Amino acid sequence: MQPSMTIPAGGGPLRAALAAAPPGATLRLSPGDHVGPFVVMADVTLCSRDLANPAVLRGGGEGSLLPIDGKGVTVTIHDLVLSGGGDTNAGGLIRIANGAILSLERVTLREGSANGYGGGGLFIRRGEVSLVDCTIERCSGRSGGGLLVANDATLDAKGCVFVDNTAA
């Protein structure tokens, strides 16, 4: 059985847990804001501890909130809100690159921006992403306001809603 840890709100506890998480760990986030950015280096699952009051991964408006990069890195996120990421190039909230694999279920991506290249909510380059019952809203980018898929990337989306996203 893989380890499961409950993470209190704030940015530091989640950053420390991600840095120390063994492959396959589940990090259950307490309600409130978890202020990033955050770096994922190993296979991990991120989820809300309280489904009635989902945790929020919140960016400071500069840089990708959650970059996931590297062959074999597999991340699962469910029942969370990601909000307020900003990147001068691509992937304001989440940036997937170089063979990483991401699964999102019942996740809201809100108010991310990527004005250099695009994908204000989510940018996928040479990676694989699965979206199930997700909402991408009020994200902006030069291309692909809410979502941009490029360079040998794959996307499988089911039951998702896109609301008020803009692209130049």
Side-chain angles (χ1 to χ4, degrees):
M1 182 172 182
Q2 296 299 329
S4 176
M5 299 173 271
T6 297
I7 311 301
L14 180 54
R15 276 192 290 282
L18 285 168
T26 296
L27 305 180
R28 299 184 188 288
L29 283 63
S30 295
D33 287 353
H34 299 260
V35 181
F38 303 102
V39 177
V40 178
M41 303 298 289
D43 297 355
V44 67
T45 295
L46 300 173
C47 60
S48 284
R49 182 181 57 85
D50 179 356
L51 298 181
N53 188 14
V56 177
L57 299 184
R58 188 169 305 282
E62 295 182 22
S64 186
L65 174 60
L66 188 64
I68 303 169
D69 191 339
K71 186 112 177 115
V73 175
T74 300
V75 177
T76 301
I77 302 173
H78 58 88
D79 303 301
L80 291 178
V81 175
L82 284 76
S83 182
D87 190 301
T88 58
N89 192 27
L93 293 172
I94 302 175
R95 183 176 60 235
I96 302 297
N98 301 319
I101 299 168
L102 173 67
S103 295
L104 298 176
E105 188 168 341
R106 297 177 309 277
V107 170
T108 297
L109 302 178
R110 179 182 296 140
E111 299 171 349
S113 64
N115 297 318
Y117 187 62
L122 172 63
F123 175 73
I124 313 162
R125 182 186 57 130
R126 293 186 205 102
E128 298 176 32
V129 174
S130 169
L131 303 174
V132 177
D133 298 329
C134 295
T135 300
I136 300 178
E137 61 186 20
R138 297 188 307 273
C139 294
S140 63
R142 194 173 127 246
S143 298
L147 171 70
L148 183 60
V149 181
N151 300 92
D152 299 322
T154 60
L155 171 67
D156 181 25
K158 293 181 177 95
C160 297
V161 177
F162 294 80
V163 180
D164 294 331
N165 298 291
T166 57

